[in-house]
Amino acid sequence: MDNYTSFKSVKFDRGKNEFSRELKKAVSQYFKEKGIHQKGNWRLYLKSTFFLLLLPTLYLTLLFAGLPVWINFILWAMIGLTLAGIGFNIMHDASHGSFSTHPRVNRLFTGTLDLMGGCGFIWKQKHGVNHHTFTNIEGLDDDLDIQPWIRTNVNQKKFWFHKYQHYYSIVLYSMTYLLWVFVQDYRKYFSGRIGTTRMKKMRILDHIYFWAGKTTYLTLFIVLPVLQLGLFQALVGYLIAAMVCGLLLAIVFQLAHLVEDTQFPLPDSNNKIENDWMIHQLQTTANFCTQNKLISWFTGGLNFQVEHHLFPGISHVHYPAINKLTRNICAEFNIPYYEYQTFNAAFRSHLSHLKVVGRFSS
Ligand SMILES: [Zn+2]
């Protein structure tokens, strides 16, 4: 059977959606009462300006200030941090259409992904469709596929080395950005597939954006630094930036879906998922550390991943308010809501999950 067909035909149970109706009603009521729209506000634009000015400042200082090598390496690490900040706060909201009320502005800022070495076209399908619709469903959610290196859930093939995955995962996570930019995007581009699903056909313009983005990125982050700083310093520095960025991106996304509480439902023999889509999102997603203002600020509200998955079209600046509403309605309907109070608790839970899955024989 063509996997594309199975991807399209997987359906959620629509018979159990009283909870979803109540939640949507409460959230839209909240925006109505406050008299505000659901997209980004001045706080988001101030933060975006900060990140978008910080990146060229760091970059130009690195290339032209002639500072000692060890300071340059710190600047590279800060570039990695800033790229992650741009990804979390600007690109992610824009690609979901929640950065601005104007679709053109969202399209423009989705382009920051090309600045990070990615590809907006591929990301929109990998993240916006596969991951957000079929969260934690093996074979359909591409974020689960770190195979064979990491077994993210028991429905995947097990290898002997998985029993150590809770030890080596962190090293691997620091490589995820490099893998994404230099391997996975090209694999998807040339195969026309995302995991087991077929990608939407690219238009000529999409091909041009893909190659223009990749070439600009390579020129900015590899070619020019090599010419200005020398091969050794440029490559080691770039590696530092890529590892910092990769580690941050991977950890934030892993803590949201791969922890002890989150589940990995499979479609039944009729290709049906047992629950309504919103309940499915609550079963497969967890929050962490929502009281920490700095983490909320830097991760673009991705520590409120539950709210993000329930309402991807709402900007992350509104998640703290929606969080309270969602928790109340979940309690009313007796639906579990997963949230870890501290980063440590979430991270420990992630490692325990990897340990259990790495040893579990299916
Ligand atoms: Zn998202």
Side-chain angles (χ1 to χ4, degrees):
M1 183 175 66
D2 186 343
N3 285 318
Y4 182 64
T5 318
S6 67
F7 167 69
K8 282 285 186 191
S9 61
V10 171
K11 294 275 183 284
F12 291 89
D13 188 345
R14 294 199 173 274
K16 303 176 181 175
N17 59 3
E18 200 189 330
F19 161 80
S20 306
R21 269 198 304 272
E22 280 299 310
L23 182 59
K24 281 181 200 159
K25 207 168 82 189
V27 168
S28 86
Q29 187 100 6
Y30 164 80
F31 284 101
K32 237 182 247 162
E33 276 169 15
K34 290 266 167 196
I36 52 174
H37 62 68
Q38 303 186 349
K39 308 299 177 187
N41 58 16
W42 67 269
R43 280 190 292 141
L44 176 60
Y45 303 140
L46 191 67
K47 180 161 58 165
S48 305
T49 309
F50 167 75
F51 279 120
L52 290 175
L53 287 178
L54 183 61
L55 185 65
T57 306
L58 292 169
Y59 181 80
L60 294 173
T61 310
L62 177 70
L63 256 59
F64 300 108
L67 295 169
V69 180
W70 67 273
I71 296 185
N72 280 352
F73 285 155
I74 295 174
L75 289 174
W76 276 110
M78 287 174 72
I79 286 179
L81 199 86
T82 310
L83 285 174
I86 291 173
F88 289 145
N89 290 282
I90 306 171
M91 181 282 285
H92 187 233
D93 267 32
S95 75
H96 278 295
S98 68
F99 185 80
S100 162
T101 48
H102 303 287
R104 269 195 198 155
V105 176
N106 287 321
R107 271 200 297 278
L108 178 73
F109 283 93
T110 304
T112 51
L113 182 60
D114 298 271
L115 202 65
M116 294 179 66
C119 164
F121 181 90
I122 295 175
W123 173 263
K124 271 194 169 175
Q125 186 162 334
K126 170 193 156 60
H127 182 80
V129 180
N130 289 39
H131 172 64
H132 269 277
T133 312
F134 302 106
T135 315
N136 275 12
I137 300 177
E138 176 56 25
L140 299 177
D141 179 356
D142 192 56
D143 281 13
L144 295 180
D145 188 8
I146 325 173
Q147 298 177 84
W149 319 110
I150 291 187
R151 190 187 194 208
T152 55
N153 68 95
V154 296
N155 304 308
Q156 291 180 340
K157 192 170 181 231
K158 187 183 159 197
F159 292 98
W160 64 269
F161 50 83
H162 287 144
K163 62 172 171 282
Y164 306 111
Q165 64 178 6
H166 53 296
Y167 294 120
Y168 65 73
S169 57
I170 199 79
V171 181
L172 216 76
Y173 291 162
S174 65
M175 295 291 149
T176 48
Y177 175 72
L178 289 168
L179 269 175
W180 170 29
V181 172
F182 293 106
V183 182
Q184 290 167 340
D185 265 2
Y186 290 103
R187 195 181 282 163
K188 290 180 174 76
Y189 179 82
F190 286 113
S191 69
R193 283 181 167 263
I194 293 177
T196 57
T197 65
R198 196 181 296 160
M199 217 160 58
K200 223 170 79 184
K201 201 170 164 21
M202 287 176 105
R203 300 165 304 159
I204 299 286
L205 208 59
D206 298 320
H207 287 286
I208 294 172
Y209 281 146
F210 179 86
W211 288 110
K214 292 286 183 192
T215 313
T216 311
Y217 175 80
L218 284 175
T219 308
L220 279 175
F221 289 95
I222 308 275
V223 178
L224 293 180
V226 167
L227 292 175
Q228 195 66 19
L229 305 169
L231 189 69
F232 169 77
Q233 208 198 120
L235 290 189
V236 172
Y238 175 75
L239 199 66
I240 292 173
M243 287 173 80
V244 168
C245 185
L247 203 58
L248 289 166
L249 297 180
I251 287 177
V252 167
F253 283 101
Q254 304 299 40
L255 297 192
H257 302 290
L258 303 183
V259 284
E260 289 162 301
D261 287 321
T262 50
Q263 293 152 43
F264 298 84
L266 286 173
D268 64 16
S269 53
N270 297 317
N271 261 350
K272 204 167 186 182
I273 298 290
E274 192 194 345
N275 274 304
D276 167 63
W277 181 80
M278 277 192 148
I279 294 177
H280 176 83
Q281 297 306 320
L282 284 154
Q283 284 179 329
T284 54
T285 313
N287 284 351
F288 66 90
C289 217
T290 55
Q291 302 303 315
N292 186 315
K293 293 243 182 326
L294 181 66
I295 288 186
S296 302
W297 183 86
F298 178 72
T299 63
L302 287 172
N303 52 337
F304 288 88
Q305 193 83 216
V306 171
E307 285 67 29
H308 174 56
H309 267 260
L310 291 169
F311 300 100
I314 295 180
S315 171
H316 73 262
V317 290
H318 306 295
Y319 292 163
I322 295 176
N323 172 270
K324 292 184 193 91
L325 283 173
T326 309
R327 294 172 72 109
N328 288 344
I329 294 176
C330 280
E332 210 178 288
F333 280 78
N334 207 15
I335 291 171
Y337 184 102
Y338 305 132
E339 182 163 320
Y340 294 85
Q341 294 304 310
T342 62
F343 176 84
N344 276 348
F347 193 67
R348 272 204 309 274
S349 180
H350 171 58
L351 294 183
S352 301
H353 168 78
L354 289 185
K355 189 175 175 183
V356 170
V357 172
R359 291 167 186 210
F360 187 87
S361 300
S362 38

